[in-house]
Amino acid sequence: LFEKMKKTDGKISAVKYPKIYQLVEPCQDFPFGAMVEECISGTELRKKVASLTEADKVAIGTTLAKFLREMHSIQSDGNKDEEVGINLAKYERSLGIIKDYVDEKTFARLVELKPRYQQLIQAKPFCTTHGDLNAGNIMIGDDNKLSGIIDFGNMEYYIPEIEFVHMYFF
């Protein structure tokens, strides 16, 4: 994640996002390590959306579009086959989790979709994606303008359409 975040430096100007100040090596307090990041002020969009005017929403949407254009212009320079493999493994894990929550017909359909999903992600160019762009990670300032984007913990090289799956929920 740190290496992917470094690739965004100087390439995103539409919004503020946390700069990484320090990496913390894995230790007793942080078994997986940690990153010390800049604080981005504001209120989560999900907590402010009801009080926003249509003009505010259009301005926020326009800024989000610029942010996504900038993010998606950062191409993966890694091994795409490896990234495809990672995403197929995620698909398999998701199937294992969801199996107990859907009926057999729905589950069978999800299993049948895996080859189509694989074709899609192999055919599309990969780019840098936020991976969790939702109304809780979009910060709005007191002026009702987008003040920044937070939580890049799911940032990955993936197909750009994934951002819109997350954004669908708001």
Side-chain angles (χ1 to χ4, degrees):
L1 179 62
F2 176 70
E3 292 302 318
K4 288 175 184 171
M5 286 293 292
K6 281 190 345 186
K7 290 189 181 294
T8 64
D9 286 347
K11 295 180 181 162
I12 298 174
S13 61
V15 299
K16 286 189 70 170
Y17 61 98
K19 305 293 187 260
I20 300 170
Y21 292 122
Q22 177 185 0
L23 286 177
V24 177
E25 294 293 324
C27 59
Q28 185 173 347
D29 290 335
F30 301 100
F32 300 105
M35 292 187 293
V36 178
E37 299 178 337
E38 174 184 21
C39 177
I40 302 297
S41 63
T43 302
E44 296 171 9
L45 174 60
R46 67 180 170 176
K47 294 178 180 176
K48 279 196 95 157
V49 71
S51 66
L52 297 173
T53 67
E54 285 305 308
D56 292 335
K57 292 175 187 177
V58 168
I60 291 167
T62 301
T63 305
L64 279 173
K66 289 176 186 173
F67 165 72
L68 287 173
R69 186 171 46 248
E70 291 173 343
M71 277 289 285
H72 296 168
S73 72
I74 304 169
Q75 297 296 306
S76 165
D77 58 0
N79 181 336
K80 183 174 178 187
D81 291 336
E82 183 180 322
E83 297 288 339
V84 167
I86 289 168
N87 283 287
L88 290 174
K90 287 179 188 178
Y91 193 97
E92 284 295 326
R93 281 193 306 274
S94 296
L95 285 176
I97 293 167
I98 201 169
K99 185 175 186 173
D100 295 334
Y101 299 96
V102 297
D103 60 63
E104 287 181 34
K105 184 178 177 183
T106 301
F107 183 75
R109 182 73 177 125
L110 292 171
V111 171
E112 289 172 13
L113 285 174
K114 184 181 175 189
R116 289 178 61 195
Y117 170 68
Q118 183 173 356
Q119 287 176 332
L120 172 71
I121 62 176
Q122 285 176 324
K124 292 275 192 175
F126 276 28
C127 62
T128 303
T129 61
H130 181 277
D132 192 17
L133 194 58
N134 66 67
N137 292 332
I138 299 167
M139 305 304 287
I140 306 299
D142 292 336
D143 59 359
N144 288 343
K145 291 183 177 15
L146 198 150
S147 62
I149 305 288
I150 61 170
D151 192 3
F152 283 72
N154 290 325
M155 183 176 166
E156 64 181 332
Y157 296 123
Y158 200 50
I159 58 175
E161 291 83 356
I162 192 64
E163 304 290 13
F164 300 101
V165 172
H166 292 287
M167 293 171 67
Y168 169 79
F169 294 103
F170 69 89

